[in-house]
Every structure is written in structure tokens, then in C-alpha cells.
Amino acid sequence: MKIAKHLGRIANPIAWLRAYRFQKSQPKYKKANKDLELQLYAQILGKDMLHYGYFENTTIDPLSLSIRDVENAQVRYAELIISQLCDLESPVLDVGCGMGGLSAMLKAHGKNVEALTPDIAQKNYIATKHPELTCHFTRYEDFSSDRKFGNIINSESLQYIPLSTALSKTNELLAPNGHWIITDYFRVTDQAHKSGHKLQDFFDQAKGNGWTIITERDITQNCLPTIRLVSAYIQRFIIPIARYANEKFRIKSPKLFYLTEALRDEIKVKANKEFDAVNPDKFASHKRYMLFVLKKG
């Protein structure tokens, strides 16, 4: 009876019409505005940070890592950024501030910091968890201010902004002799997963727009332990559980299993694409996680 009920809904044209209307009513998903994967990541960890962290021990066994180890690595990553600040008395702009963890640390260090996010869920979270922070709800390209910032930070947020836009907007907002601090991953091969800018494009456009790179540091290996941990959990838990659920579904509801084959195949393709993005070997081969500090001129 349960199978017949489900099959009847699938075959019902009225149900399809309602499904179509529901789909049309949903806003278009934009990862830059609402990154669901990062929100899940933030809910698991407790430091309100959405990056991979920074590990001194780059060869540590990922299965030996605890949640606390990852959280401590995230704090070290934030401390690395803070150590690059210049003109400590001038305001800091944290672009793409995520859940507010880095901005909160800057505030705790006595810095005059303003945060910025285009994600309303993050904006509301910060208003509740970190009410002491000034948080602008806008895209970076739409942001304007009468202030000049001595330090502008893009921590894993540059990848969501067109390079030309980021260069011109930062030029507009950065104070003379200020520091533009970037921590993010960049593509170095054509085979790389498409997230992140091409590293050579970044070099070319920065130089072409009059920027000088005063610090350039490859921290790929320091970020890989978290990627290895995520990959290990996918291989050890997520994939076996998915296979178990699929087989259980086949045994319990063979007719519905057969009728939903195309849908399940589509979900599998999308899941494999997401898993591929956190393959540590491919990441290390095709991308570079970089720390840059730039000055104008």
C-alpha cells in the first residue's frame, strides 16, 4: 500500500503541476549568497569560522584529528591573518566574514573592525552571536563607505568576486599604504575543480592594476589536513551509508527503486562532483592555497 501511494503521487498530473509551481517559487540558489556546505561546516565546528584552518604538522594522520584540533587550526589561521595587519589603529574590513569568527577575534584584539557578508543567514547569526560587531549586509562590489580602511581582508571570499571588481573596489576603499590581505585557493591547472580564480590571472591583473605583492606564501600543505579529514570521513562513513541505504531501498521497495533510477543516478553524479572537490590529492595537484599581502603601487 505504501508503494502504491508513492507511485500514485509520481503519476498524478496534479502533483506534477504543484511540484512545478513549487520549483518556480523557489529563489535561484547562489552559492556566494548562501553557501549551504559552509553553513553545515560551521554548525559542526564551534569557532564561527568557515575555512580549512592552518596546521603546523602537515603530515598528521587525518583520522587522529579531533574537532578541537580543527578548531585550534582555525584559530591559528586567523592569527596568521592578524599577524599581517599594518597600521593597527586604522579600521579593518573583513570581506566575506562568514559566521563572524575572524572579526570577533579582531575585535577581541582591540581592532576597529567592520564585517561584510551578502548572506542574510550569516548577517542574522552575527547579530545574535556577535552583537558587538558592525556587519554590513551587502555584496563587496555594492559596498561603499566614507572611511578608508588600513587593512582589507579577503579570507576565502575572493573566489566569489570577479577579480577586476575586487581589485577596483579594494583600490577605492584601502587607505594609502594599507594592506590587502588575501587567503584563498587558486587554480593552477586546467583540470582543477572550477572553484577559485586562476593563479596566473590573479598575478597578471594585480600587476596590471598597479598592485605590489609584498608577501606571497604557499600554505597548501598547512590546509590539507582538514581536506584529508573530510575526504576520509566521506570514504569511511558517507559513501558506505549511502550504499547501505540504496540497497535497503532496493530490497524494501523494488518497484519504487526501479522507477527512481534516473533521479538516483543524477543525485549520485552531483554527490561525486562534490566529493571530488575535497579530494586532497587532486586539490594539491591542481590548486594552491595562498597567503598574499598586497599594497597599492
Side-chain angles (χ1 to χ4, degrees):
M1 290 298 293
K2 289 183 179 180
I3 294 176
K5 180 180 178 181
H6 290 303
L7 292 177
R9 188 176 188 189
I10 292 174
N12 188 340
I14 296 177
W16 276 96
L17 178 60
R18 289 173 178 169
Y20 174 76
R21 288 175 176 171
F22 176 76
Q23 177 177 308
K24 295 291 287 184
S25 70
Q26 299 303 298
K28 184 177 180 181
Y29 174 64
K30 294 182 179 180
K31 188 172 183 179
N33 294 346
K34 188 172 184 179
D35 194 323
L36 297 177
E37 291 85 357
L38 291 183
Q39 288 188 21
L40 174 63
Y41 187 36
Q43 290 169 7
I44 295 172
L45 300 170
K47 294 296 183 180
D48 293 336
M49 298 181 190
L50 301 177
H51 50 70
Y52 291 131
Y54 181 94
F55 288 84
E56 297 288 355
N57 182 358
T58 60
T59 61
I60 190 170
D61 178 2
L63 293 180
S64 73
L65 292 173
S66 66
I67 290 177
R68 181 61 56 84
D69 291 328
V70 178
E71 290 176 342
N72 289 340
Q74 290 186 318
V75 171
R76 284 193 296 272
Y77 178 103
E79 289 172 342
L80 178 62
I81 292 174
I82 292 172
S83 71
Q84 309 301 315
L85 297 176
C86 74
D87 191 7
L88 302 183
E89 302 302 318
S90 67
V92 180
L93 181 63
D94 182 9
V95 179
C97 61
M99 313 301 284
L102 174 59
S103 289
M105 278 188 64
L106 287 162
K107 191 76 172 181
H109 280 70
K111 305 299 185 290
N112 181 4
V113 59
E114 297 182 25
L116 182 153
T117 178
D119 188 322
I120 188 60
Q122 293 176 359
K123 164 68 174 175
N124 292 337
Y125 179 88
I126 290 170
T128 302
K129 182 72 177 293
H130 303 290
E132 75 281 4
L133 293 176
T134 297
C135 184
H136 304 282
F137 173 51
T138 182
R139 299 187 308 166
Y140 187 42
E141 46 265 54
D142 298 328
F143 177 67
S144 61
S145 176
D146 295 331
R147 311 179 78 181
K148 295 291 186 180
F149 295 89
N151 300 275
I152 295 178
I153 300 170
N154 279 95
S155 173
E156 271 188 35
S157 60
L158 182 66
Q159 60 185 276
Y160 300 115
I161 308 169
L163 277 177
S164 59
T165 302
L167 289 160
S168 61
K169 179 57 69 171
T170 306
N171 184 54
E172 171 190 328
L173 296 171
L174 192 65
N177 299 315
H179 279 187
W180 183 16
I181 303 167
I182 299 168
T183 49
D184 212 330
Y185 50 82
F186 297 81
R187 290 179 282 148
V188 293
T189 73
D190 292 334
Q191 292 75 42
H193 187 270
K194 293 303 181 182
S195 59
H197 295 296
K198 290 184 177 179
L199 185 57
Q200 191 58 51
D201 288 349
F202 172 78
F203 286 135
D204 293 343
Q205 291 196 39
K207 181 179 180 181
N209 284 273
W211 290 89
T212 299
I213 299 174
I214 60 175
T215 299
E216 176 183 338
R217 182 174 171 188
D218 186 340
I219 59 172
T220 307
Q221 295 301 318
N222 304 96
C223 300
L224 276 179
T226 298
I227 302 175
R228 293 191 186 106
L229 175 63
V230 173
S231 180
Y233 268 80
I234 288 172
Q235 297 299 324
R236 294 283 291 270
F237 296 100
I238 303 301
I239 291 177
I241 289 172
R243 288 172 178 164
Y244 167 81
N246 190 64
E247 186 64 12
K248 193 79 170 180
F249 181 31
R250 185 188 66 81
I251 293 170
K252 291 289 187 179
S253 305
K255 291 181 181 178
L256 191 57
F257 179 87
Y258 176 81
L259 289 170
T260 58
E261 181 180 10
L263 176 61
R264 288 182 290 103
D265 286 344
E266 183 178 344
I267 292 172
K268 184 177 180 180
V269 168
K270 291 182 178 180
N272 287 338
K273 183 178 179 181
E274 294 297 326
F275 296 161
D276 197 51
V278 290
N279 180 307
D281 294 330
K282 289 185 177 181
F283 188 98
S285 296
H286 303 306
K287 294 187 177 182
R288 293 293 179 270
Y289 203 118
M290 303 297 296
L291 163 67
F292 289 117
V293 181
L294 292 84
K295 289 180 66 175
K296 189 64 178 180

